Amino acid sequence: VFLSPPHMGGSEQKYIDEVFASNYIAPLGEFVDRFEEAIKAYTGTKNALALNSGTAALHLALRVLGVGEGDLVLASSFTFIGSINAILYQNAKPVFIDSELDSWNLDPNMLEEAIAKLPKKPKALILTHLYGQCAKLDEILEICQKSGIHLIEDAAESLGATYKGKHTGTFGIFGIYSFNGNKIITTSGGGMLISENRELLEKGRFYSTQAREPHLHYEHKEYGYNYRLSNVLAAIGVGQMEVLESRVAKKREIFEWYKEELADFGFNFMPELEECRGNRWLTCAVTNSNISKIVERLQNENIESRPLWKPMHLQPLFESAKYFGLGVCDSLFQRGICFPSGTTLQREDVARISKIVKEVI
């Protein structure tokens, strides 16, 4: 039992066969365009760029916005390192912000404190929507607009989540999604950069294809990257988009199953803000029981689980980075666990997993 394995919807192989029949195996082709169009239609965004990873999408967003050496970039501390690596690629400096308990996401109060106390104005904020749950977007967006800071939404884990009816990723100047093998839908590896600003997104498209100028020969005035998604993987993505809503529904159902099983056994499950629909990518909870023993026992039964993300400000790599917070995400990390949340799980699977957890307790 894996934590969040891929789950094909049925059309992926058919579309891959069409790619092979066309011989458009290399990057770009019909299905790259179709995948971008599917994301635009689903999220309501105007522009989309299919890439080989969510990290690549974050990197392009920072590059296009002019973030460079020595610039400060605010970021959620409670996240996966892929959210932060792009900052390092630009030789910028991350500044980490703690979580709040209403959503486990970035704390707007700590964000304001950081902006007020930092020696210079940050260029951007990378806001992670943790485990598919929406952050407090109204407050955070207002702070960014008031301070003149670009908001980049790291919606890598939250495709399908909505805040007051609007999709995560569509609030900031840029949003990014990930289609890594463990995400709610997958292309095995891939990402998407979205924006309402066509000019900025097209600049990202230019950088993503080695920054080649529009000449018959290869002409380069700037450096770029090899970041585009292959047509083969995009074909998988088109098939996956057809089942995304059913995957969100199943993830949310699995969350409720675990809650029914374990809420009375000392587990407090990840909260959801009012007027929001998280995709419940992973079912997460905190407990005062021994997390290590639970994970170890499940592993002995060939069941994958894991602790919550270790906050970035606690990572050795960032021991000299600035952090603004009260230790909320530190506590969540120490007491938190992610349960298996694959969309092929049945009610009896969750009952079996939960029974083992109860035995440990």
Side-chain angles (χ1 to χ4, degrees):
V1 180
F2 291 102
L3 191 70
S4 184
H7 183 187
M8 296 295 100
S11 298
E12 293 84 358
Q13 187 63 58
K14 172 178 175 288
Y15 295 150
I16 291 171
D17 290 344
E18 290 181 27
V19 170
F20 273 74
S22 72
N23 204 35
Y24 274 85
I25 306 300
L28 306 187
E30 174 193 355
F31 281 94
V32 174
D33 296 338
R34 285 176 61 177
F35 192 25
E36 291 174 351
E37 290 300 320
I39 287 288
K40 288 194 289 184
Y42 180 78
T43 63
T45 192
K46 291 182 179 177
N47 306 285
L49 173 63
L51 301 162
N52 58 18
S53 71
T55 305
L58 284 171
H59 186 200
L60 288 175
L62 292 174
R63 172 87 186 274
V64 168
L65 292 173
V67 173
E69 186 167 2
D71 287 334
L72 301 181
V73 178
L74 302 160
S76 306
S77 185
F78 203 24
T79 189
F80 174 61
I81 196 168
S83 307
I84 310 304
N85 279 336
I87 301 171
L88 306 185
Y89 298 166
Q90 289 301 103
N91 293 312
K93 295 181 178 180
V95 176
F96 298 114
I97 311 298
D98 199 2
S99 298
E100 41 77 15
L101 289 173
D102 294 335
S103 70
W104 298 7
N105 279 300
L106 184 140
D107 186 338
N109 294 323
M110 291 296 104
L111 176 62
E112 282 196 302
E113 181 177 321
I115 294 168
K117 290 185 177 180
L118 286 169
K120 63 179 180 179
K121 189 178 84 171
K123 280 280 188 74
L125 164 64
I126 296 179
L127 171 67
T128 299
H129 297 294
L130 186 73
Y131 296 120
Q133 290 300 326
C134 306
K136 293 182 175 179
L137 277 161
D138 281 346
E139 296 171 50
I140 292 168
L141 191 59
E142 182 181 354
I143 293 167
C144 288
Q145 289 172 341
K146 179 178 65 178
S147 306
I149 295 170
H150 295 298
L151 174 60
I152 302 168
E153 287 180 83
D154 175 9
E157 302 168 3
S158 67
L159 179 62
T162 57
Y163 181 86
K164 298 183 177 180
K166 187 177 179 183
H167 281 274
T168 58
T170 64
F171 289 81
I173 186 72
F174 282 114
I176 76 101
Y177 302 118
S178 170
F179 309 108
N180 190 37
N182 63 355
K183 294 302 187 290
I184 192 163
I185 63 168
T186 183
T187 57
S188 83
M192 192 77 67
L193 180 66
I194 66 169
S195 180
E196 292 296 285
N197 189 311
R198 182 172 180 79
E199 183 180 353
L200 290 180
L201 191 109
E202 289 306 313
K203 189 66 173 179
R205 192 183 304 274
F206 170 72
Y207 287 137
S208 73
T209 51
Q210 303 289 19
R212 182 186 176 185
E213 299 291 338
H215 296 282
L216 182 61
H217 61 277
Y218 283 82
E219 181 87 7
H220 301 277
K221 298 177 182 177
E222 300 181 79
Y223 68 90
Y225 318 95
N226 184 18
Y227 275 173
R228 284 295 253 151
L229 186 68
S230 87
N231 201 39
V232 178
L233 299 188
I236 301 173
V238 171
Q240 289 276 276
M241 285 298 294
E242 294 174 354
V243 297
L244 175 54
E245 273 300 302
S246 67
R247 297 291 185 260
V248 174
K250 185 61 183 286
K251 290 277 191 181
R252 291 182 62 84
E253 184 177 39
I254 289 167
F255 175 88
E256 293 300 327
W257 290 342
Y258 277 112
K259 197 172 180 180
E260 289 170 17
E261 291 279 352
L262 295 171
D264 293 336
F265 287 81
F267 285 90
N268 292 313
F269 286 80
M270 188 177 190
E272 186 172 66
L273 298 174
E274 290 186 15
E275 297 186 76
C276 298
R277 182 193 75 162
N279 69 9
R280 296 294 187 194
W281 169 54
L282 294 181
T283 293
C284 304
V286 292
T287 178
N288 290 324
S289 299
N290 191 311
I291 293 296
S292 297
K293 287 186 177 180
I294 295 171
V295 172
E296 182 181 0
R297 176 66 187 279
L298 289 172
Q299 186 176 355
N300 290 339
E301 299 288 340
N302 208 26
I303 297 168
E304 184 183 16
S305 63
R306 68 174 58 150
L308 300 183
W309 297 126
K310 182 177 181 179
M312 290 297 103
H313 73 273
L314 298 180
Q315 300 287 351
L317 177 62
F318 301 116
E319 60 184 2
S320 62
K322 290 185 179 296
Y323 160 70
F324 292 85
L326 302 172
V328 173
C329 60
D330 306 48
S331 175
L332 291 169
F333 164 61
Q334 290 163 4
R335 301 185 298 118
I337 186 170
C338 304
F339 291 113
S341 306
T343 45
T344 59
L345 284 178
Q346 300 302 312
R347 186 68 178 82
E348 55 267 28
D349 298 317
V350 172
R352 181 170 73 90
I353 294 163
S354 299
K355 182 174 182 291
I356 295 167
V357 172
K358 293 172 190 176
E359 289 171 358
V360 176
I361 294 171

